[in-house]
């Protein structure tokens, strides 16, 4: 395992000297989890959010965004479509909402997915911080995995990009991730790369932090500015550098945690059209095609230039599959794609119990 200063050195290697890093990370991935790229059909359930994160386009304070939540009928149609398209893994992402109504709605959706698919689909939730009771309720209704990014492992930087109140507490965020793990979710986290004021030491510490947290999955990508947020025009690292750091962070995390699932984020694709493919070649093994009904995509804008706003799913899957083949991998729709790291841990626990 690299030390923080070794990671910092690797982050600062010029791109033309970084091939070895990407190649080693890609080979480590292929030797550990294989050359299959798992897909997760992504449904963006709602852009209403009670949080006010300074970087995010759907923050509560953004009065210029029209808010939506998919209706029961739209959800039903989308689930139906997901099953017919052959996906075996769904991610439901949403702005944070702690109302009883929302919690029940998510519970209903989970039950509906289990019923409509005959329990053949794995569901990941990504909807922020909730009580242990809520996490448990959703797990009982069929959620298997949960993504909750820490955003940055540096508490000081965290407090610079969030309001200072109980709703945006670094400690609370970590506690939620720990709760999810304790409940037995496959737990994912991740960070943004190139946040204004973030140093390369911060990024190195993020790798060590994620390793120490013993996550099963990771999603991370470049910080991208959004005009209607306080951090617009505050980037301290040029965009292409943020992209480069993101690829290196994927590679370094793969080397630190060979058996986890790592997503090639949509944010990578918004910087460079083949950004996700570059992410795969740097050690990622998951892609999340967006299946949100097209007319809502414009509204779920966390950052500017979010790609896929107008692209329908059939076109995007065919093209993606070809691109993934071209880089020596194959795209899989019909597997759960559970994290090997999680499966090993489960096996270990059951052995210890016996
Ligand atoms: N740039 C990049 N990523 C962002 N996210 C939110 N806003 C931005 C942005 N401006 C990411 C956060 C959040 C995830 C859902 O989207 O990491 O956890």
């Amino acid at each position: 395992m690299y030390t923080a200063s070794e990671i910092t050195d690797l982050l600062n290697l010029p791109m033309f000297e970084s091939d070895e890093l990407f190649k080693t990370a890609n080979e480590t991935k292929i030797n550990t989890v294989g050359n299959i790229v798992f897909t997760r059909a992504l449904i963006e359930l709602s852009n209403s959010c009670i949080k006010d994160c300074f970087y995010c386009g759907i923050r509560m304070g953004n009065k210029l965004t029209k808010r939506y939540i998919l209706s029961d009928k739209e959800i039903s149609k989308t689930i139906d479509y997901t099953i017919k398209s052959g996906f075996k893994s769904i991610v439901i992402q949403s702005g944070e909402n702690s109302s009883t109504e929302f919690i029940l709605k998510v519970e209903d959706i989970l039950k509906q997915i289990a019923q409509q698919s005959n329990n053949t689909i794995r569901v990941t939730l990504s909807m922020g911080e909730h009580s242990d009771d809520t996490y448990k309720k959703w797990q009982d209704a069929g959620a298997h995995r949960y993504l909750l990014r820490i955003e940055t492992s540096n508490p000081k930087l965290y407090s610079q990009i969030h309001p200072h109140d109980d709703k945006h507490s670094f400690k609370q965020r970590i506690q939620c991730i720990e709760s999810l793990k304790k409940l037995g979710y496959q737990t994912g986290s991740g960070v943004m790369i190139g946040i204004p004021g973030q140093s390369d030491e911060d990024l190195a510490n993020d790798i060590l932090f994620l390793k120490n947290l013993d996550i099963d999955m990771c999603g991370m990508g470049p910080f991208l500015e959004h005009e209607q947020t306080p951090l617009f025009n505050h980037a301290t690292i040029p965009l292409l550098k943020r992209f480069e750091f993101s690829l290196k962070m994927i590679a370094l995390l793969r080397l630190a945690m060979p058996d986890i699932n790592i997503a090639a984020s949509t944010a990578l694709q918004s910087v460079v059209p083949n950004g996700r493919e570059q992410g795969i070649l740097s050690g990622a093994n998951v892609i999340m095609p967006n299946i949100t009904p097209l007319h809502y995509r414009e509204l779920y804008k966390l950052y500017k230039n979010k790609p896929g706003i107008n692209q329908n799913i059939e076109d995007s899957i065919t093209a993606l599959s070809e691109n993934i083949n071209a880089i020596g991998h194959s795209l899989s729709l019909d597997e759960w794609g559970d994290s090997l790291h999680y499966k090993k841990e489960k096996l270990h626990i059951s052995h210890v119990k016996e």
Side-chain angles (χ1 to χ4, degrees):
M1 180 65 202
Y2 293 120
T3 62
S5 83
E6 284 165 339
I7 296 177
T8 313
D9 288 346
L10 287 165
L11 284 171
N12 285 309
L13 263 191
M15 251 338 220
F16 65 88
E17 286 178 27
S18 305
D19 275 0
E20 188 73 22
L21 172 65
F22 297 132
K23 232 177 107 194
T24 316
N26 192 35
E27 278 167 13
T28 302
K29 171 193 72 186
I30 291 174
N31 293 333
T32 320
V33 296
N35 70 342
I36 307 283
V37 175
F38 298 126
T39 50
R40 281 81 175 88
L42 173 67
I43 305 174
E44 293 160 337
L45 175 65
S46 167
N47 68 348
S48 292
C49 194
I50 57 166
K51 291 280 180 84
D52 222 1
C53 310
F54 297 157
Y55 45 87
C56 184
I58 65 168
R59 64 198 297 269
M60 189 168 79
N62 182 2
K63 302 293 178 212
L64 297 171
T65 285
K66 209 175 123 214
R67 306 289 168 165
Y68 76 89
I69 180 159
L70 296 189
S71 69
D72 292 347
K73 206 167 149 205
E74 285 164 334
I75 290 163
S76 208
K77 255 177 89 177
T78 311
I79 297 173
D80 215 40
Y81 182 66
T82 314
I83 298 170
K84 286 205 182 100
S85 307
F87 285 105
K88 288 281 180 284
S89 179
I90 298 183
V91 174
I92 309 173
Q93 194 172 78
S94 175
E96 208 170 294
N97 182 340
S98 53
S99 72
T100 312
E101 197 189 345
F102 180 79
I103 291 167
L104 281 175
K105 182 164 176 125
V106 174
E107 193 181 358
D108 282 348
I109 296 172
L110 289 164
K111 288 183 180 159
Q112 201 181 330
I113 295 174
Q115 201 205 356
Q116 271 178 247
S117 73
N118 246 333
N119 276 320
T120 58
I121 287 185
R122 281 277 201 254
V123 185
T124 308
L125 297 180
S126 170
M127 35 195 69
E129 294 170 34
H130 291 275
S131 68
D132 288 9
D133 281 354
T134 300
Y135 287 149
K136 176 83 176 60
K137 193 180 280 197
W138 287 341
Q139 188 179 39
D140 290 344
H144 306 93
R145 311 174 180 143
Y146 205 102
L147 296 168
L148 185 58
R149 290 187 178 180
I150 188 69
E151 315 298 356
T152 169
S153 63
N154 177 344
K156 193 159 164 254
L157 184 59
Y158 192 94
S159 79
Q160 285 166 13
I161 59 170
H162 295 99
H164 298 171
D165 59 25
D166 292 351
K167 261 196 313 189
H168 300 81
S169 143
F170 179 75
K171 250 190 165 162
Q172 175 68 34
R173 177 70 66 118
I174 294 185
Q175 267 168 19
C176 282
I177 301 174
E178 295 288 5
S179 293
L180 290 161
K181 282 184 56 182
K182 236 186 247 143
L183 283 167
Y185 274 95
Q186 277 181 59
T187 306
S189 193
V191 295
M192 284 185 295
I193 296 158
I195 301 169
Q198 191 177 37
S199 67
D200 39 16
E201 285 86 10
D202 286 333
L203 291 172
N205 287 330
D206 287 344
I207 298 280
L208 302 180
F209 178 91
L210 293 170
K211 166 94 181 165
N212 192 35
L213 204 56
D214 200 30
I215 51 167
D216 304 302
M217 322 181 284
C218 180
M220 56 185 174
F223 160 72
L224 298 166
E225 296 168 83
H226 187 294
E227 298 88 333
Q228 292 146 14
T229 64
L231 288 184
F232 184 60
N233 272 341
H234 279 70
T236 44
I237 303 177
L239 183 60
L240 283 179
K241 192 84 196 160
R242 281 177 251 159
F243 179 79
E244 186 184 314
F245 273 162
S246 299
L247 295 182
K248 288 179 179 166
M249 286 289 284
I250 289 175
L252 290 161
L253 188 66
R254 174 60 69 194
L255 295 175
M257 306 189 77
D259 57 3
I260 64 169
N261 280 341
I262 303 180
S265 66
T266 313
L268 285 173
Q269 187 195 1
S270 83
V271 184
V272 178
N274 74 349
R276 290 185 303 183
E277 288 81 353
Q278 291 197 49
I280 298 297
L281 285 174
S282 309
N285 68 325
V286 171
I287 285 185
M288 296 165 36
N290 198 339
I291 57 156
T292 308
L294 276 173
H295 56 286
Y296 288 119
R297 296 216 196 146
E298 180 63 35
L299 297 174
Y300 202 90
K301 260 193 155 170
L302 308 178
Y303 45 79
K304 104 180 147 177
N305 298 332
K306 193 168 161 238
I309 301 279
N310 299 312
Q311 196 176 26
N312 75 41
I313 185 74
E314 284 89 356
D315 292 349
S316 82
I317 290 292
T318 312
L320 187 61
S321 187
E322 282 168 10
N323 295 346
I324 294 298
N325 283 336
I327 57 169
H329 287 66
S330 61
L331 194 71
S332 162
L333 258 68
D334 61 354
E335 285 173 85
W336 284 341
D338 282 327
S339 154
L340 180 62
H341 185 80
Y342 177 86
K343 286 199 272 193
K344 280 191 200 157
E345 196 169 349
K346 271 267 177 228
L347 210 62
H348 176 73
I349 292 168
S350 64
H351 278 315
V352 171
K353 274 191 187 150
E354 270 165 19

